[in-house]
C-alpha cells in the first residue's frame, strides 16, 4: 500500500523531480517482492497503469477497506481518496536503511504520524504544558500565510520557530495568487479551471474563472479571498495532513465545549496526553477526557488503538466520520465511541443537570 502511494506521488511530480523516475522503479521492486512472481506489475510502466485501477485488481492481500482505492486519476495525479485513506496505511518500507525518497517525498507518504510528530514538535516538547498548547494551536490555525505576519503572530505568543514553512508549491499557485481552504486554511490545489482542498471531507471545491474568481461547486463553502504568492509560505504537506487536518476538529470541539456555562476545558493537556479535558465548576477532577481520531478506515483505526490504546475516556470522531461509530463500537467494545456532536451534547446535558441542582 505504501509503495503504491509513493509510486503514485512520484509519477505525479515526475516532470519537475528527475528522481521521481527512480522512485517509481524502486517501488516497482517493492511491490514485485510483496506480490510474488507473476502476480503483480513487473515493470514501472505496468505499475503506473495499475495505479489507475482499484487495488483489488492487482495488489494481492490488500486490506478490504482500501481494495477499491484508485491511486492515480486519468491525469496522472493522486486521487482525493488517496489523501483521505492512504495516510491510514503508511509504514516505513526501508527501516534501518537509507531511504532516498525520504529526502523529497512528502513525509505522510514515507513515515508514520508518530515519527512526523516527534520531528515536528521538538521545540514544543522542550517547554511547559501551556507552551505546548499555544504552539500546537498556532500550527493548526496558521498553516499558511504571509511569512512576516506569521512571524509577528508567533512572537506575540512568545513562541520559538516551531515547524518549517516553505514557499507555496507551484501546483497551488495561479498567476501569482493562491487560495486557502475555507476549513483548514492550507493552500488549495489548482488544476485547470478548478481549485480544491486535497482533503475531500472539507468539501472545498471551486470553479476558477479566467478573471481569477472562485465559485463553489456542489458544496456550500464560501469562496476564500485570493492571497498573493509573494512572501507567502505554508507548512509541509505531512504536517498539514497529520496535524492541521485533525487539529481543525480538535480545536473546534474544544472551543465549542469551552463556551458552555460553568464548564472548563484544557486543550492538549500534559503535552497531548489527550486532546481535550473537561470539568465543571467545583469538580476536583476531569469529568471527560477526549481523544479525537480522524481515520478514513475504521478497521485501520481499530488496529492502531489495539496496539496503542488511548489514555482518554472517550474516542471522538469528526462529524463527517459518523458512519464509523457502529463499526468501531463493535471492533472496540471496551472503548466509548461517539462523534464531536454527540460528546458535545452529552457534556451540555451534564452541565445543565449540574446547574439545575445548584
Amino acid at each position: 500500500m505504501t509503495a503504491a502511494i509513493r509510486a503514485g506521488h512520484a509519477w505525479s511530480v515526475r516532470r519537475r523531480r528527475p528522481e521521481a523516475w527512480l522512485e517509481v522503479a524502486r517501488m516497482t521492486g517493492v511491490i514485485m517482492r510483496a506480490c510474488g512472481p507473476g502476480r503483480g506489475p513487473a515493470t514501472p510502466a505496468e505499475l503506473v497503469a495499475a495505479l489507475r485501477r482499484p487495488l483489488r485488481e492487482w495488489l494481492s492481500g490488500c486490506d478490504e477497506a482500501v481494495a477499491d482505492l484508485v491511486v492515480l486519476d486519468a491525469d496522472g495525479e493522486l486521487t482525493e481518496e488517496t489523501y483521505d485513506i492512504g495516510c491510514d496505511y503508511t509504514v516505513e518500507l526501508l527501516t534501518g536503511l537509507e531511504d532516498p525518497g525520504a529526502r523529497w517525498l512528502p513525509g505522510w507518504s514515507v513515515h508514520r504520524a508518530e515519527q512526523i510528530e516527534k520531528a515536528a514538535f521538538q521545540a514544543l516538547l522542550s517547554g511547559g504544558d501551556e507552551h505546548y498548547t499555544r504552539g500546537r494551536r498556532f500550527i493548526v490555525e496558521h498553516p499558511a500565510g504571509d511569512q512576516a505576519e506569521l512571524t509577528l503572530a508567533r512572537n506575540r505568543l512568545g513562541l520559538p520557530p516551531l515547524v518549517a514553512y516553505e514557499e507555496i508549491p507551484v501546483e497551488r499557485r495561479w498567476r501569482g495568487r493562491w487560495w486557502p481552504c475555507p476549513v483548514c486554511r492550507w493552500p488549495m490545489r489548482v488544476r485547470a479551471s478548478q481549485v480544491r482542498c486535497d482533503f475531500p471531507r472539507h468539501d472545498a471545491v471551486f470553479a476558477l474563472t479566467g478573471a481569477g474568481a472562485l465559485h463553489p461547486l456542489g458544496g456550500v463553502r464560501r469562496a476564500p479571498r485570493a492571497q498573493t504568492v509573494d512572501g507567502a509560505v505554508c507548512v509541509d504537506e505531512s504536517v498539514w495532513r497529520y496535524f492541521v487536518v485533525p487539529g481543525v476538529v480538535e480545536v473546534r470541539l474544544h472551543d465549542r465545549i469551552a463556551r458552555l456555562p460553568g464548564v472548563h476545558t484544557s486543550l492538549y493537556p500534559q503535552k497531548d496526553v489527550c486532546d481535550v479535558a473537561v470539568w465543571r465548576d467545583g469538580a476536583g477532577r476531569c469529568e471527560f477526557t477526549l481523544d479525537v481520531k480522524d481515520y478514513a478506515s475504521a478497521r485501520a483505526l481499530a488496529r492502531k488503538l489495539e496496539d496503542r490504546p488511548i489514555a482518554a475516556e472517550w474516542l471522538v470522531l469528526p462529524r463527517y466520520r459518523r458512519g464509523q461509530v457502529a463499526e468501531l463500537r463493535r471492533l472496540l467494545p471496551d472503548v466509548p465511541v461517539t462523534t464531536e456532536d454527540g460528546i458535545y451534547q452529552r457534556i451540555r446535558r451534564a452541565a445543565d443537570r449540574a446547574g439545575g441542582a445548584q
Side-chain angles (χ1 to χ4, degrees):
M1 178 68 190
T2 300
I5 293 174
R6 288 178 58 153
H9 185 276
W11 183 256
S12 72
V13 300
R14 67 194 183 282
R15 293 185 178 87
R16 61 180 186 275
R17 302 292 312 217
E19 57 267 67
W21 296 95
L22 285 176
E23 179 67 15
V24 175
R26 189 180 299 113
M27 293 303 104
T28 301
V30 171
I31 289 173
M32 286 176 64
R33 287 194 298 274
C35 292
R39 299 184 61 188
T43 67
E46 290 181 7
L47 175 57
V48 171
L51 293 174
R52 293 187 169 94
R53 308 198 318 268
L55 295 182
R56 69 167 71 249
E57 295 183 5
W58 60 274
L59 187 61
S60 59
C62 68
D63 192 301
E64 186 63 27
V66 296
D68 293 321
L69 178 68
V70 176
V71 176
L72 289 177
D73 63 18
D75 297 324
E77 300 285 344
L78 291 180
T79 62
E80 291 182 346
E81 292 74 21
T82 300
Y83 284 102
D84 189 17
I85 198 171
C87 296
D88 297 354
Y89 287 84
T90 301
V91 298
E92 278 196 292
L93 295 181
L94 303 175
T95 304
L97 303 173
E98 182 180 357
D99 185 351
R103 293 194 294 268
W104 61 276
L105 286 166
W108 65 265
S109 69
V110 179
H111 303 300
R112 292 181 182 271
E114 294 87 351
Q115 296 165 310
I116 296 172
E117 179 178 18
K118 183 177 180 180
F121 294 145
Q122 285 299 316
L124 292 178
L125 293 170
S126 63
D129 291 351
E130 185 178 347
H131 172 88
Y132 180 92
T133 297
R134 285 202 312 270
R136 186 149 179 176
R137 179 166 186 149
F138 179 88
I139 295 168
V140 171
E141 296 182 333
H142 300 86
D146 179 80
Q147 187 170 26
E149 293 177 1
L150 290 171
T151 300
L152 286 174
R154 178 172 52 76
N155 289 341
R156 282 196 294 268
L157 292 172
L159 294 169
L162 301 171
V163 296
Y165 285 78
E166 56 194 25
E167 291 184 353
I168 305 298
V170 64
E171 69 271 14
R172 303 177 190 281
R173 305 181 182 194
W174 186 83
R175 298 181 185 177
R177 286 175 267 183
W178 67 278
W179 289 269
C181 168
V183 180
C184 66
R185 305 184 183 95
W186 202 62
M188 293 190 287
R189 184 181 298 271
V190 182
R191 292 180 61 185
S193 59
Q194 192 175 97
V195 178
R196 65 168 62 220
C197 178
D198 280 334
F199 192 66
R201 298 294 182 164
H202 288 169
D203 196 24
V205 186
F206 305 89
L208 174 62
T209 70
L214 296 188
H215 300 287
L217 289 176
V220 295
R221 304 290 182 196
R222 178 177 297 179
R225 293 178 57 185
Q227 310 290 316
T228 181
V229 167
D230 292 339
V233 292
C234 63
V235 297
D236 176 77
E237 190 172 3
S238 57
V239 174
W240 163 74
R241 180 59 184 87
Y242 279 132
F243 301 107
V244 175
V245 169
V248 167
V249 182
E250 294 158 1
V251 171
R252 178 174 68 210
L253 177 60
H254 168 270
D255 291 355
R256 187 181 181 193
I257 295 171
R259 290 191 290 269
L260 290 170
V263 171
H264 302 275
T265 60
S266 178
L267 180 65
Y268 308 129
Q270 299 179 51
K271 298 181 182 178
D272 203 26
V273 69
C274 66
D275 292 324
V276 182
V278 183
W279 65 97
R280 290 179 289 111
D281 284 337
R285 60 179 180 83
C286 290
E287 297 176 282
F288 294 89
T289 52
L290 319 177
D291 201 321
V292 179
K293 296 296 183 187
D294 186 357
Y295 274 58
S297 166
R299 272 178 283 183
L301 174 56
R303 282 197 296 268
K304 176 183 175 65
L305 296 185
E306 287 171 352
D307 293 337
R308 295 185 59 185
I310 58 175
E313 175 191 5
W314 285 90
L315 171 61
V316 181
L317 308 181
R319 60 175 61 99
Y320 50 76
R321 305 288 190 200
R322 57 184 175 272
Q324 297 179 353
V325 171
E327 184 176 7
L328 283 168
R329 286 174 175 169
R330 178 178 59 80
L331 294 171
L332 302 169
D334 297 326
V335 179
V337 182
T338 187
T339 64
E340 57 178 304
D341 296 319
I343 197 65
Y344 172 81
Q345 294 299 334
R346 179 179 288 270
I347 294 171
R348 183 184 62 78
R349 290 194 296 270
D352 289 345
R353 288 194 299 269
Q358 292 177 356

